């Protein structure tokens, strides 16, 4: 399976999307950071249960968050997971989700360094 793309944060673009409001961006980064452990746990539980619908819903939620925070290739990687989350793909989807989770951790770290 394809590895996730390198994590990139375009600080100027993020601030421009939020009208230059650093306070709002810091709040969004805080919410993402607070939600990340739950996202990891939910992905693990959904995979363990063989619940493709749950994997799809979690990926969809993360994609929505990424649309606000990073966009670009990582957003597309999340969309791919969302589309691939069907029962017949679950046995092989675990490594891709693990790589996605690692990339989300990298994104969170970079966002916190820049805006947290």
């Amino acid at each position: 399976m394809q590895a996730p793309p390198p994590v990139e944060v375009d600080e100027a673009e993020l601030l421009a999307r939020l009208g230059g409001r650093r306070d709002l961006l810091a709040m969004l980064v805080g919410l993402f950071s607070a939600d990340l452990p739950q996202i990891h746990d939910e992905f693990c539980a959904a995979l363990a249960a063989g619940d493709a619908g749950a994997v799809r819903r979690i990926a969809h939620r993360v994609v929505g968050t990424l649309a606000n925070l990073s966009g670009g290739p990582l957003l597309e990687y999340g969309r791919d997971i969302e589309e691939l989350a069907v029962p017949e793909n679950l046995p092989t989807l675990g490594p891709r989700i693990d790589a996605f989770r690692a990339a989300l951790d990298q994104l969170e770290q970079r966002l916190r360094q820049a805006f947290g």
Side-chain angles (χ1 to χ4, degrees):
M1 292 221 174
Q2 177 186 1
V7 175
E8 299 174 9
V9 176
D10 185 338
E11 294 179 31
E13 178 190 345
L14 281 170
L15 284 170
R17 274 194 264 161
L18 297 172
R21 294 206 36 208
R22 249 184 167 350
D23 62 324
L24 184 56
L25 184 51
M27 183 188 74
L28 289 173
V29 170
L31 291 171
F32 176 64
S33 293
D35 196 31
L36 203 50
Q38 182 178 347
I39 289 167
H40 289 335
D41 291 347
E42 289 175 0
F43 267 133
C44 287
L47 284 172
D51 189 343
V55 170
R56 199 171 30 261
R57 286 188 298 278
I58 298 160
H60 182 76
R61 187 174 89 224
V62 174
V63 163
T65 299
L66 290 173
N68 291 322
L69 291 176
S70 73
L74 189 56
L75 174 67
E76 292 305 316
Y77 193 83
R79 285 183 178 145
D80 288 346
I81 289 173
E82 185 179 0
E83 290 177 19
L84 289 169
V86 295
E88 59 269 15
N89 290 339
L90 284 185
T92 60
L93 202 53
R96 182 176 271 248
I97 289 173
D98 289 343
F100 186 50
R101 290 172 46 210
L104 292 173
D105 288 340
Q106 289 177 359
L107 175 63
E108 189 257 348
Q109 183 178 31
R110 291 204 178 142
L111 289 169
R112 280 190 129 349
Q113 288 171 348
F115 305 107

